[in-house]
Amino acid sequence: MSLPDLEVLPARPAVPEPSVEAAFPRQELPAVPYRGIEPFRYEDRHLFFGRRKEIWKLVRAITIYRGFLLYGESGAGKSSLINAGLIPALKEEGYLPYRVRLQPQADGEFVFERIVVRSSGTPEYLPTLFPGTEGEERHVASLTELERLLKEEGRTQTPVLIFDQFEELITLFEAAPSSGGETSGALQQKICAFLVRMLRDHATSVKLLFAFREDYFAKLRVLLSDHPALVDHFFRLEPLQADSLASVIRGPFTDSRIPKGHFQEKISQSLAERLMQDLVARSPDGRPKLSEVQVACLQLWHASNPEEHFARRGIQGLLTDYLEQGLEGISAKRRDVAKAILAALVTPARTRNVVSQSSLVQGVSNAEKVPQDDVQQVLAQLETGTRVVQHELRRTERCYELVSEFLIDWILDEDAQRLAQRRWRKRFRLAVAIGSATSVTVIAVWWLVVGVEAVARAGVLLARAEMNQAQLEVLEAKARLQKSESEFMAREQVLEGEIKTQRALNTTQAEVIASTTKSRNNAWVENAKLTNEKSDLGAKLHDTQIGLETVKTEREILTTQLLETKKTLQETQEESARFKKERDDANSQLHTTRKALQEAQTEREQVNTDLVNVRNEKVACDSQLTEARQRLQSCKP
């Protein structure tokens, strides 16, 4: 379902302005009002601003449809929207939301991540779907186990399975080895069949939301082609609108539900306006990414003088400072290792790369000529100290990726500088090596000549011959070194050319991706125009979906009634045959009666005719009698 279709749905009743009694408890508010580079969590729900419209549209869509797609660009804020916006809203509507991830492991295809209510002290979680796992952070479930629990849970309540990063159905399964005797492709098809089965099983009360990066839309559409209606029910999450920035930046200080003075108001209204202008101007489409907004606000909130700090550093300076501050905890000797790790987490297409811990550590160790233990320690610092990388368990191994894509430009610039410095160091060492070898050879020949002249003048000719031979060898060595240096420089130039070519290809690929995205967006716009023409059908569909739950119950009742009706119909057919025979007999009697009636009618008409004649004769007789009486009267004396 596209965005315009959602507009035909009934609007949510207006929510009154929150009162003092509705204020958020202080103990439920984080200590810092901004998240920086990290996504919002469920426990940050009171500080999640600027997405109210998107939250309600998703809730309405999930209410109406059994399956729904949520996608957008990387960094658009899908995880933050789900964690801090959608899940709390679904709880208010009476649903049971669960976060689910996929993994290519037979009999363990689904990973349920517990939703943390409060992380300080003893962690508290939202209810789990699996009995006996209340204290666990995550639970791995098989397809069979999940299907059984959904059927049981769906009898009384409505679970909502939220598949965050659903593109893992492709990224994790394409190159995964076989598991439990099944290939990753077979597991992938098995999961798809299960999801389609759940989408069609209306006897089980369950909702499914699939969230993924938009560049995987086409591949996922092919995998879910057995349920084609699903791809018509979608919502594309756009980057933050410019008019939403004010609530994101100033919300922690102005929202009436947050106790006044809980957060020190470091960002004034005037500073927020300048910050918004620069953020919008910096973004190509005028829609800054949520992570950039949060990083800039966090840097200003920590500054002793935010106004002066912003005037001096600007947006790019704030972002760069945030990253460099994260690397300050790493020693200078290990900083090149940190930059090499970050560079390994970027693909040639300038996107985030997911790399297993073993591959990452071994590759950086070999490239930087450092022990693997050192690489492991730097990786841990990048994750826990700077928080620019994050890990997740895939199968039984940790896999690492960058937290946000806005780090990529900075990482590539730093890595290019690091490689350039390394090339110059190699050149310098090579030049020193060449000079040292030449000097040592010349000095050795010189001392040889001096020694020979001191021992015997008779051997001068021999010494000179040996010296000439040595000089010839030196010249040959220098020639070979110069040739090696020339070949090295040529290879370096070729390498630099290949790097430039690769960068040009990356730029071209990025342009192609941008062009493809633009074309896809145009197609979505055209699709939106077409869906506007189906608004009447959308309204009817809404009414139909609202009555779906009632129809389920009525269907069971009607099924029972149908069986009774069939039995009654059979009895009725038997009685109908009996009635038909009686009707034929009655028709025969009726025919006889009608014939007798016709004869009686004829006789009646004849009697009426005779009666008329009699009456006429009576009138004539009466007339004659009157005349006779008159004559008789006249004859009396």
Side-chain angles (χ1 to χ4, degrees):
M1 177 182 180
S2 60
L3 180 59
D5 288 332
L6 287 172
E7 301 294 347
V8 305
L9 302 179
R12 190 178 190 178
V15 179
E17 289 297 324
S19 60
V20 177
E21 291 75 17
F24 300 137
R26 289 182 181 270
Q27 63 271 19
E28 292 187 6
L29 293 170
V32 179
Y34 303 108
R35 289 293 295 159
I37 202 173
E38 300 182 58
F40 280 79
R41 306 159 298 181
Y42 177 82
E43 55 190 303
D44 304 312
R45 60 194 180 279
H46 302 319
L47 299 176
F48 188 66
F49 302 102
R51 293 292 197 184
R52 183 174 182 180
K53 182 179 180 181
E54 289 84 349
I55 293 170
W56 174 230
K57 284 183 178 179
L58 281 176
V59 172
R60 284 189 293 171
I62 290 173
T63 301
I64 294 173
Y65 297 103
R66 191 173 182 85
F68 202 74
L69 305 179
L70 168 65
Y71 61 91
E73 298 177 358
S74 178
K78 298 183 293 297
S79 294
S80 294
L81 176 65
I82 290 172
N83 295 337
L86 179 61
I87 291 177
L90 289 175
K91 285 184 75 282
E92 291 181 2
E93 296 295 327
Y95 292 105
L96 299 177
Y98 302 105
R99 284 175 50 92
V100 191
R101 301 286 290 273
L102 301 175
Q103 63 177 3
Q105 180 177 334
D107 296 328
E109 299 88 351
F110 302 95
V111 179
F112 280 74
E113 300 176 339
R114 297 295 301 278
I115 300 172
V116 181
V117 177
R118 185 181 297 109
S119 57
S120 59
T122 302
E124 298 180 17
Y125 304 99
L126 291 183
T128 176
L129 182 65
F130 302 90
T133 62
E134 285 75 10
E136 299 179 3
E137 296 182 2
R138 60 199 297 272
H139 181 77
V140 178
S142 65
L143 188 150
T144 305
E145 179 186 12
L146 178 57
E147 186 169 9
R148 176 181 58 81
L149 287 174
L150 288 177
K151 290 182 179 296
E152 295 175 357
E153 188 78 10
R155 295 174 182 173
T156 56
Q157 302 183 79
T158 303
V160 180
L161 302 187
I162 302 174
F163 291 88
D164 193 12
Q165 300 184 32
F166 188 59
E167 65 269 16
E168 291 177 339
L169 183 62
I170 297 172
T171 59
L172 295 184
F173 286 73
E174 285 184 340
S178 300
S179 174
E182 288 189 277
T183 63
S184 58
L187 282 174
Q188 186 186 63
Q189 293 299 325
K190 187 177 179 181
I191 292 174
C192 290
F194 165 75
L195 296 176
V196 171
R197 190 162 63 249
M198 286 293 97
L199 290 170
R200 292 177 175 174
D201 184 12
H202 292 284
T204 302
S205 180
V206 63
K207 304 283 187 176
L208 295 93
L209 175 68
F210 306 97
F212 54 91
R213 283 167 45 183
E214 65 179 353
D215 45 338
Y216 287 93
F217 183 85
K219 290 185 177 181
L220 290 172
R221 182 171 186 169
V222 172
L223 291 175
L224 299 175
S225 58
D226 288 342
H227 193 73
L230 177 63
V231 297
D232 294 329
H233 305 158
F234 65 84
F235 177 71
R236 182 176 187 268
L237 182 63
E238 301 283 352
L240 279 173
Q241 298 286 343
D243 55 4
S244 300
L245 288 179
S247 61
V248 174
I249 297 173
R250 294 275 299 162
F253 316 123
T254 59
D255 192 285
S256 58
R257 293 168 295 179
I258 296 178
K260 190 173 182 61
H262 181 77
F263 297 114
Q264 185 178 358
E265 190 171 349
K266 290 286 194 75
I267 303 179
S268 63
Q269 180 64 36
S270 59
L271 177 57
E273 292 175 357
R274 296 201 304 274
L275 181 61
M276 286 187 289
Q277 292 175 359
D278 287 5
L279 285 167
V280 172
R282 184 178 183 274
S283 302
D285 56 356
R287 297 179 177 182
K289 294 185 177 180
L290 180 62
S291 55
E292 297 184 19
V293 178
Q294 288 289 314
V295 167
C297 291
L298 183 62
Q299 288 294 96
L300 292 175
W301 195 74
H302 283 305
S304 57
N305 190 334
E307 300 273 353
E308 180 183 345
H309 188 63
F310 180 70
R312 185 176 66 255
R313 299 297 295 151
I315 294 295
Q316 186 58 46
L318 294 176
L319 299 179
T320 302
D321 291 346
Y322 182 84
L323 299 175
E324 292 180 349
Q325 288 168 9
L327 296 180
E328 286 180 356
I330 301 175
S331 64
K333 294 181 179 179
R334 293 182 171 181
R335 200 157 296 175
D336 281 350
V337 176
K339 293 178 181 179
I341 291 174
L342 296 176
L345 296 177
V346 179
T347 67
R350 302 175 73 89
T351 60
R352 284 185 292 179
N353 192 18
V354 180
V355 184
S356 66
Q357 182 179 12
S358 59
S359 300
L360 183 61
V361 171
Q362 184 176 0
V364 174
S365 174
N366 294 338
E368 299 298 314
K369 304 295 188 296
V370 294
Q372 292 190 8
D373 290 342
D374 292 352
V375 179
Q376 185 62 57
Q377 292 175 8
V378 174
L379 181 59
Q381 285 181 284
L382 288 174
E383 181 180 14
T384 59
T386 65
R387 298 186 182 276
V388 295
V389 301
Q390 60 186 2
H391 83 273
E392 61 183 29
L393 287 176
R394 297 190 174 185
R395 297 175 64 83
T396 58
E397 187 171 14
R398 284 190 174 191
C399 292
Y400 285 84
E401 66 176 341
L402 297 174
V403 173
S404 176
E405 285 197 346
F406 90 83
L407 304 171
I408 290 177
D409 291 339
W410 179 85
I411 291 172
L412 293 180
D413 291 342
E414 290 292 319
D415 190 56
Q417 294 178 15
R418 181 177 64 88
L419 294 177
Q421 292 174 1
R422 177 175 296 176
R423 288 196 297 271
W424 282 110
R425 286 196 295 267
K426 285 183 178 179
R427 291 179 181 177
F428 178 76
R429 287 195 296 267
L430 180 59
V432 171
I434 293 173
S436 299
T438 304
S439 300
V440 169
T441 304
V442 172
I443 292 171
V445 171
W446 183 79
W447 277 109
L448 178 61
V449 172
V450 174
V452 170
E453 289 178 351
V455 174
R457 293 179 179 276
V460 170
L461 293 176
L462 179 61
R464 285 179 179 177
E466 292 177 353
M467 182 180 67
N468 291 335
Q469 181 66 30
Q471 288 178 344
L472 181 61
E473 292 177 357
V474 169
L475 292 175
E476 291 177 353
K478 289 181 67 176
R480 288 195 299 271
L481 289 173
Q482 289 177 355
K483 182 179 179 181
S484 299
E485 183 180 13
S486 299
E487 292 177 353
F488 174 78
M489 295 296 293
R491 286 198 299 271
E492 187 177 37
Q493 290 177 358
V494 172
L495 180 60
E496 289 180 351
E498 292 177 352
I499 291 175
K500 291 180 180 179
T501 302
Q502 183 63 42
R503 288 179 178 174
L505 290 175
N506 292 342
T507 303
T508 303
Q509 185 177 4
E511 292 175 353
V512 171
I513 292 173
S515 176
T516 304
T517 303
K518 183 177 180 181
S519 300
R520 188 183 298 134
N521 291 341
N522 292 336
W524 287 326
V525 171
E526 293 299 326
N527 185 43
K529 292 179 181 179
L530 292 175
T531 52
N532 282 332
E533 298 175 359
K534 298 187 288 186
S535 59
D536 293 337
L537 294 177
K540 293 180 181 178
L541 183 59
H542 166 67
D543 295 337
T544 303
Q545 293 289 346
I546 293 298
L548 182 61
E549 298 299 329
T550 305
V551 170
K552 291 180 184 178
T553 304
E554 293 178 351
R555 184 179 64 180
E556 296 177 356
I557 298 174
L558 290 175
T559 301
T560 304
Q561 292 177 349
L562 180 61
L563 295 175
E564 296 177 353
T565 302
K566 286 182 179 179
K567 183 178 180 181
T568 304
L569 180 60
Q570 185 177 2
E571 295 175 353
T572 303
Q573 289 175 345
E574 295 175 355
E575 293 180 358
S576 177
R578 194 165 53 252
F579 290 155
K580 184 178 180 181
K581 182 178 180 182
E582 294 177 356
R583 184 186 64 185
D584 292 341
D585 295 341
N587 286 339
S588 177
Q589 293 177 0
L590 179 61
H591 178 71
T592 304
T593 303
R594 284 178 177 175
K595 186 175 181 181
L597 182 61
Q598 289 177 353
E599 293 176 353
Q601 186 69 24
T602 302
E603 293 178 356
R604 179 182 175 184
E605 292 176 354
Q606 184 63 39
V607 170
N608 288 338
T609 302
D610 294 342
L611 181 60
V612 170
N613 294 333
V614 171
R615 286 178 179 173
N616 291 336
E617 292 177 356
K618 180 181 177 183
V619 170
C621 291
D622 289 343
S623 177
Q624 292 175 2
L625 180 61
T626 301
E627 292 176 355
R629 285 178 179 173
Q630 289 178 353
R631 288 195 301 270
L632 180 62
Q633 188 70 25
S634 62
C635 291
K636 288 182 180 181

